[in-house]
């Protein structure tokens, strides 16, 4: 499922989408909030420049919105249908879930967005 060369591998691990050899982020832990968006300039393995163009990752906001909506709907369904909480408690569950998963969704949105534009290259992975 997470074999090297798949988009899912790069998205979930935060690795370079071109060679999948290096982590794109300076600090791999998204819960270190001070460094949440701090990325390497380029991949030391294949040389891919992560900031493809100025303000490239602004487009990741749209992906983040979609992820946030999906998490909110899932949290509501789990709280209301499966656990049986009342409406106010269900909305509180949505807020708690979104706050706790904010660092993960921020990183996932960037990972998904760059993987839309950059594809795995076997030759780049063999370099070095």
């Amino acid at each position: 499922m997470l074999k090297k060369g798949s988009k899912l591998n790069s998205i979930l691990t935060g690795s370079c989408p071109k060679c999948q050899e290096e982590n794109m982020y300076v600090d791999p832990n998204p819960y270190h909030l001070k460094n949440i968006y701090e990325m390497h300039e380029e991949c030391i393995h294949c040389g891919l420049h992560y900031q493809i163009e100025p303000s490239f990752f602004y487009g990741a906001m749209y992906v983040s919105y979609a992820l946030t909506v999906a998490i909110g709907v899932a949290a509501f369904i789990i709280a209301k249908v499966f656990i049986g909480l009342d409406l106010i408690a269900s909305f509180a569950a949505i807020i708690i879930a979104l706050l706790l998963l904010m660092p993960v969704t921020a990183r996932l949105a960037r990972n998904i967005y760059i993987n839309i534009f950059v594809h795995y290259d076997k030759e780049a992975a063999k370099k070095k």
Side-chain angles (χ1 to χ4, degrees):
M1 183 167 138
L2 285 180
K3 79 179 200 185
K4 191 173 178 179
S6 70
K7 294 272 186 199
L8 195 57
N9 179 40
S10 178
I11 290 169
L12 294 179
T13 62
S15 60
C16 172
K18 189 172 182 180
C19 69
Q20 297 184 1
E21 293 290 332
E22 179 196 42
N23 195 327
M24 292 189 296
Y25 300 97
V26 173
D27 185 358
N29 186 349
Y31 286 99
H32 293 155
L33 298 179
K34 188 173 123 183
N35 303 326
I36 190 168
Y37 293 116
E38 197 170 329
M39 298 177 74
H40 296 288
E41 291 270 333
E42 60 186 31
C43 178
I44 58 170
H45 188 76
C46 68
L48 173 69
H49 191 69
Y50 296 130
Q51 189 84 10
I52 295 172
E53 60 184 34
S55 305
F56 174 71
F57 286 108
Y58 282 138
M61 290 187 301
Y62 297 104
V63 177
S64 178
Y65 176 74
L67 288 172
T68 302
V69 168
I71 291 169
V73 168
F76 181 78
I77 290 172
I78 290 169
K80 185 74 176 152
V81 176
F82 294 116
I83 299 175
L85 299 177
D86 64 342
L87 195 60
I88 300 296
S90 297
F91 282 113
I94 292 170
I95 292 169
I96 291 168
L98 291 178
L99 286 174
L100 290 176
L101 293 174
M102 185 276 306
V104 175
T105 57
R107 289 257 178 111
L108 273 178
R110 280 185 168 214
N111 297 349
I112 291 169
Y113 193 69
I114 196 167
N115 272 280
I116 291 172
F117 299 101
V118 180
H119 305 287
Y120 180 72
D121 182 9
K122 288 182 184 177
E123 298 305 317
K126 291 180 184 176
K127 289 181 184 176
K128 199 173 185 179

